[in-house]
């Protein structure tokens, strides 16, 4: 099952639209057995994963060390500005 | 409790009146209704704005709005609540967001309405892209302070 990576707002304009990783590409992201959200970010961009970039996995907020499993939907986005 | 994300203009006051008519189980029980309506202005940080595009994360936005209303319903003993939030292209003077709450007393209503609005602005995945009258575009990077 592919793992989906989404970027929103200004990050989408800078890094690109929705991306996927199959299981072999996902496991190749790290020499550890654990792949984190930071590993996912670093695979798609050289841009620094700064504190103000928000991360979600399966639509719940997480941090940069959150472990990823195959089939997850990971999203990266700038600070929210609704309302 | 009702949450609507809408890609079209809406009349906030009519929406409140229409929703209140459905609250028949609370008739004569709610003593307070508090409302916040956010309207798009044609000015932001001294720049003239002609248009705004409001993006959201379908699925996560609704989830977080529901969490915000659930938590505040429990905390403030709300009888009911309503959020309507625009997405897509919005013009100056159009409503962006409506928050309305119904409770027994004014303390709960005032506090809940304020807290719902502040939590929406800090947690709900929406992002605004403004178009200036010059034609330039930029993403709004931070909210104005609420407190």
């Amino acid at each position: 099952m592919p793992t989906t990576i989404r970027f929103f707002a200004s990050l989408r304009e800078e890094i690109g639209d929705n991306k996927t990783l199959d299981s072999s590409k996902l496991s190749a992201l790290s020499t550890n057995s654990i792949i984190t959200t930071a590993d996912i970010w670093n695979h798609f961009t050289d841009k620094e994963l700064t504190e103000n970039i928000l991360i979600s996995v399966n639509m719940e907020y997480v941090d940069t060390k959150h472990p990823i499993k195959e089939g997850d939907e990971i999203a990266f986005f700038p600070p929210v500005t609704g309302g | 409790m009702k949450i609507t994300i809408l890609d079209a203009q809406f009349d906030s006051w009519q929406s409140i009146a229409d929703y209140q008519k459905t609250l028949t189980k609370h008739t004569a029980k709610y003593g307070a209704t508090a409302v916040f309506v956010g309207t798009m202005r044609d000015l932001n940080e001294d720049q003239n704005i002609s248009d705004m595009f409001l993006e959201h994360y379908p699925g996560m936005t609704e989830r977080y709005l529901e969490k915000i209303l659930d938590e505040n319903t429990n905390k403030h003993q709300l009888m009911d609540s309503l959020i309507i939030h625009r997405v897509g292209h919005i013009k100056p003077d159009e409503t962006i967001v409506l928050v309305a709450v119904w409770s027994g007393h004014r303390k709960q209503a005032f506090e809940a309405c304020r807290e719902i609005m502040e939590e929406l602005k800090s947690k709900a995945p929406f992002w605004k892209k403004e178009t200036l009258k010059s034609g330039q575009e930029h993403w709004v990077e931070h909210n104005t302070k609420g407190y």
Side-chain angles (χ1 to χ4, degrees):
Chain A
M1 181 190 305
T3 301
T4 304
I5 300 91
R6 306 192 65 175
F7 296 92
F8 287 89
S10 57
L11 293 184
R12 186 193 62 254
E13 290 180 349
E14 291 168 28
I15 298 167
D17 288 340
N18 298 347
K19 301 173 188 301
T20 57
L21 287 170
D22 62 29
S23 57
S24 60
K25 286 192 177 137
L26 183 66
S27 54
L29 290 190
S30 174
T31 52
N32 291 331
S33 57
I34 297 173
I35 312 290
T36 65
T37 47
D39 293 326
I40 300 285
W41 172 269
N42 291 331
H43 176 69
F44 287 106
T45 179
D46 293 329
K47 196 174 151 67
E48 186 186 350
L49 182 52
T50 52
E51 271 184 6
N52 68 326
I53 293 170
L54 302 176
I55 310 169
S56 69
V57 172
N58 302 329
M59 301 188 184
E60 292 291 341
Y61 284 109
V62 298
D63 64 21
T64 60
K65 298 187 174 66
H66 188 87
I68 299 302
K69 57 183 192 307
E70 187 182 341
D72 279 346
E73 177 170 299
I74 304 124
F76 297 93
F77 41 86
V80 299
T81 54
Chain B
M1 178 170 94
K2 183 176 179 185
I3 293 162
T4 302
I5 293 178
L6 201 53
D7 186 6
Q9 286 188 56
F10 70 99
D11 181 329
S12 45
W13 309 110
Q14 191 60 54
S15 299
I16 295 164
D18 289 345
Y19 190 68
Q20 186 160 294
K21 283 184 192 153
T22 70
L23 306 185
T24 49
K25 68 178 178 185
H26 299 304
T27 301
K29 299 290 185 287
Y30 55 84
T33 307
V35 172
F36 176 84
V37 174
T39 303
M40 184 182 160
R41 301 189 306 153
D42 61 6
L43 187 71
N44 186 23
E45 295 183 352
D46 297 327
Q47 293 181 312
N48 292 312
I49 312 296
S50 63
D51 183 82
M52 179 167 72
F53 180 76
L54 213 150
E55 183 174 340
H56 74 302
Y57 183 174
M60 185 171 177
T61 303
E62 292 88 337
R63 179 183 291 195
Y64 270 79
L65 292 177
E66 193 170 323
K67 279 193 197 196
I68 290 166
L69 287 189
D70 273 341
E71 286 167 3
N72 281 279
T73 294
N74 291 333
K75 182 177 178 184
H76 299 288
Q77 297 94 50
L78 298 180
M79 291 177 178
D80 217 307
S81 56
L82 171 67
I83 293 177
I84 302 178
H85 202 298
R86 285 282 305 277
V87 290
H89 284 282
I90 304 174
K91 292 288 185 196
D93 204 38
E94 290 180 9
T95 301
I96 301 171
V97 63
L98 160 66
V99 171
V101 300
W102 288 262
S103 66
H105 300 281
R106 69 187 185 282
K107 180 178 189 295
Q108 296 99 323
F110 278 134
E111 288 178 0
C113 191
R114 185 79 186 260
E115 286 182 32
I116 288 166
M117 196 54 217
E118 296 304 325
E119 287 168 31
L120 183 158
K121 287 190 79 72
S122 65
K123 294 182 192 162
F126 292 104
W127 304 274
K128 293 175 178 166
K129 188 175 191 179
E130 292 175 334
T131 302
L132 306 183
K133 287 195 174 154
S134 64
Q136 277 185 297
E137 297 177 331
H138 66 245
W139 290 95
V140 175
E141 293 179 349
H142 55 84
N143 292 313
T144 54
K145 291 195 189 305
Y147 289 100

